[in-house]
Structures are given as structure tokens and as C-alpha cells.
Amino acid sequence: MNNARSVAARPRGRPRGNPPTRESVVVAARELFLERGYRATTLRAVAGAAGVDAALISYHFGSKKGLFAEVMQFQCAGALTVDEVLSGDPATLPARLIDAVTGLWEDADFRRLTARGETAAEVIREYLEQELLGRLVEFLGGRDATARATAVVTVLGGIIYTRYLNPLPTPSALTPAETRAALVPALRAALAPRAGRR
């Protein structure tokens, strides 16, 4: 069998056998987005870096925007691991939520990715709405769970907006620890069950 010929004749689309994981493509894409920026990164370049056919990327992610969204979601999920944040002592949940958000946004690479414009903002909105809000509703339970989860996500979104996306001088000057100290009471109040709505 001619090995060179078999490699050159690699079929397009989904590979057979043991295909590369989505994660390997996401990791390769993340490096290129950081190095070249969103506009200069092509699906062909990502495919080359990941060692896969470009058709595989289109199959899994649909488009470059879909791939970028996956990279952002991967970053969010890595730092703001909802299961880990929600586990543990309920009394320290407000501090864990704030630490997870500031930990993610203090990461220099994540900040560079979020500078890619409206696509990044869309992904962040989707993550807060679909992942964090939904999981908080399930975690809190009860008739007022949606109202409480919405209040929590609003506070966290305020941190993101006033410290990172459109920084105001006073909030952005705080350290993460100072941010936690200032906003834990607000999150504790947001998480508290509403009187008469159990």
C-alpha cells in the first residue's frame, strides 16, 4: 500500500474511525484568534492548525462565527464552571460567583478575545442567559427562582459592563477582592427567597 497516496487521498467531511475532538479544533482556533484576530483567521487556517479537513469544522460549527462562539463558550466554561460554583457552602455562593466572573475577565487572553467586537458581546449575552441563568433557576428552585436568578445575573452583568466592557473609573479601579467585598451583600440579597413567594 502506498502510504503517501493514502494520506493525500484523505476524504473530506466527517472522518471515520476515531475523529479529532471538537475541543482540539476549539483550542487551535483560540490560538489563531488570539494571534491573528477574528477577521484574519480563516477556517482553512484553523483546519490546518488542528490537522483536520475544513469541511469538518463547517460540519461541527457551521461558520467562523459559530466557531468563535464555541471558543468563547469554552473560555467561559473553563473559568466559570457552573457546577463548581454552585457546589459548596451556600453562605459563600455570592463570593464564588463574583470570583468566577472576575477571574474569567482578569485573564489577559480572554480580554483580548472579547475585544473582537459584537460577536464576542453576543456570545457573552448567550452564556449569561442560556447557561448561567438557566442553571441558577434550577439550582434555586421554587416559584421565585427565575426572579432571584435574574437579579443575580443582572448584578454579575453589571460587573462585566462597568469593569470590563465599558469601564467606569470607580468600579474598574477596584481590585477583584474589593469588588467581591462591595457586591457580596447585593448578591446575597438577590439570592434570598422572596417573602410570601415560596
Side-chain angles (χ1 to χ4, degrees), residues 67-87:
L67 178 58
F68 182 76
E70 192 78 9
V71 169
M72 292 288 292
Q73 293 276 11
F74 183 73
Q75 287 285 110
C76 288
L80 211 167
T81 307
V82 179
D83 287 337
E84 291 181 9
V85 172
L86 296 181
S87 65

Side-chain angles (χ1 to χ4, degrees), residues 40-123:
T41 298
T42 65
L43 291 184
R44 187 178 298 278
V46 173
V52 300
D53 193 286
L56 179 74
I57 298 178
S58 296
Y59 176 84
H60 280 300
F61 306 101
S63 64
K64 183 167 76 169
K65 183 177 179 181
L67 178 58
F68 182 76
E70 192 78 9
V71 169
M72 292 288 292
Q73 293 276 11
F74 183 73
Q75 287 285 110
C76 288
L80 211 167
T81 307
V82 179
D83 287 337
E84 291 181 9
V85 172
L86 296 181
S87 65
D89 185 355
T92 59
L93 176 58
R96 291 197 304 275
L97 286 165
I98 293 171
D99 287 346
V101 169
T102 57
L104 173 65
W105 283 84
E106 294 294 324
D107 179 76
D109 286 346
F110 185 75
R111 298 279 291 279
R112 285 169 61 198
L113 287 171
T114 61
R116 306 305 177 199
E118 183 58 27
T119 301
E122 285 179 23
V123 174

Side-chain angles (χ1 to χ4, degrees), residues 167-181:
L168 298 177
T170 301
S172 62
L174 299 175
T175 66
E178 290 169 336
T179 300
R180 183 195 321 119

